[in-house]
Amino acid sequence: MKKALSKNMNLVSHHLLNGFGGMGEGMSIQVTRDARRIMWMAHVSAPKNFSAVDVTDIKNPKLICQTELPHQSVRSNSLEVCGDTMAVAYQTNKLGEQPAGIEMFDISVPDEPKSIGFFDTSGPMSKGVHQVWYVDGEFIHCAGADPYFNARLPEKDYQFYQIIDAKDPTNMKEVGRWWMPGQCESDEEPPNLREPKYNAGWRPHNTNVYPERPDRAFIGYIDGGAVTLDITDMAKPKMIANWNPSPPFPGFIHTVMPMFERELLVVSHECNKLGAEDWPKVTWVLDNRHESNPVPLAILPLPPFEQFGGRPGRFGAHNLHENRPGPSFRSETLVIGNYFNAGIRVHDISNPFRPEEVAFYVPEDPENSRVGEIQINDVYVDENQIVYAMDRFGGGLYILEMDI
């Protein structure tokens, strides 16, 4: 078993979530009316839907809620909390299955979440919704779906950027959508260029819209690269920029995170092959002063390949702590991300041409990991710089402090 490794990060506590891991890419903190702090987490696969852990005392986290999915062929990979309401994404394994879409929950009593609405995207050409972004209590921005979306490659290109009016969570309505020109059979544009070896698809992953710029959407479009959209008119999004290093780099842009004060973009690729087959999966720093033409400045230093590459699990970049509103750490210089078997990594980009790794934590390998090693799948940092990370398989929730 590989032991824990650390630099300027310390483990505060660890919760195994009653042995049900399979943690996805949704982490969000709720501060309740009685001042409790609840960490809500999505599961990447059945049988569990979402879990809630009371982290008011970070040294003694307590599982207070864990819900079930209706069957094995659906997952709730993503969730977001805004106030006392939570949006949960449902994606099926095959086209045409149910449930597919977004379910809204009243979590004012977090021990007893109540379903209050469902936005149904199920149908013959849909696998549902992969990711949700819900920070203003009004709109959900998501990697969405439509029952009859005629993608050129239905098994890979089945999602698009979708904006949903959720002001009334019992009666949600689509207000806008956008997809990459060439993605659909009906498009006049030619088919999109495919990454020759892996071809993960042309569809959105993360769809970030911040209060500082509600007229902009920053989208990781997987093999379609990093996209900036003008959503001043939500009914008619317009593309401002599309930066794509693939090919020659392997595809799968995951997250596009703006740093508004410094006019930078931080862009992560997701590693999705075992044993570093798709290495290098990296995180880029882009100059965004001229937003129609983002320019790469640097790549965040990867953990040593000699130490982590070629092992049985995934190795490379994935999620970022996204500087979202709410009880969340926000920084223009520190980038906190997860790297699967290389754990959580913190980089200082004060000098965007020379990023430096300033902290990391790699948990010891969980006993019941499907691949035999840690696979940190998501990370969230609260306003007190407490770091929460979860394992893709059996490791559960890790709570850490940064010493930087």
Side-chain angles (χ1 to χ4, degrees), residues 32 47 57 69 119 141 170 195 245-246 252 260 285 299-300 380:
T32 66
D57 179 357
L69 287 167
F119 185 78
H141 304 266
T170 68
E195 202 286 324
S246 173
F252 219 111
F260 292 106
V285 181
I299 291 173
L300 301 190
Y380 183 100

Side-chain angles (χ1 to χ4, degrees), residues 300-312:
L300 301 190
L302 276 171
F305 184 90
E306 299 76 15
Q307 188 174 7
F308 298 101
R311 296 177 60 87

Side-chain angles (χ1 to χ4, degrees), residues 210 257-259 321-325 328-332 334:
Y210 293 83
M257 181 177 71
M259 292 186 166
H321 171 69
E322 296 172 284
N323 282 351
R324 71 185 298 278
S328 169
F329 177 65
R330 309 193 78 186
S331 176
E332 292 277 324
L334 292 180

Side-chain angles (χ1 to χ4, degrees), residues 161 178-181 202 206 213 215-231 237-245 253 256 264-265 267 286-296:
Y161 170 54
W178 181 89
W179 62 86
M180 189 71 71
W202 284 65
N206 282 22
R213 289 301 304 270
D215 60 337
R216 295 290 184 267
F218 300 93
I219 302 175
Y221 218 82
I222 303 190
D223 284 2
V227 174
T228 303
L229 294 180
D230 182 341
I231 58 169
K238 298 177 182 179
M239 184 162 65
I240 296 172
N242 179 206
W243 178 81
N244 195 352
I253 295 289
V256 180
L264 299 173
L265 296 177
V267 178
L286 308 182
D287 185 324
N288 199 45
R289 286 177 294 174
H290 189 70
E291 66 173 347
S292 66
N293 185 36
V295 176

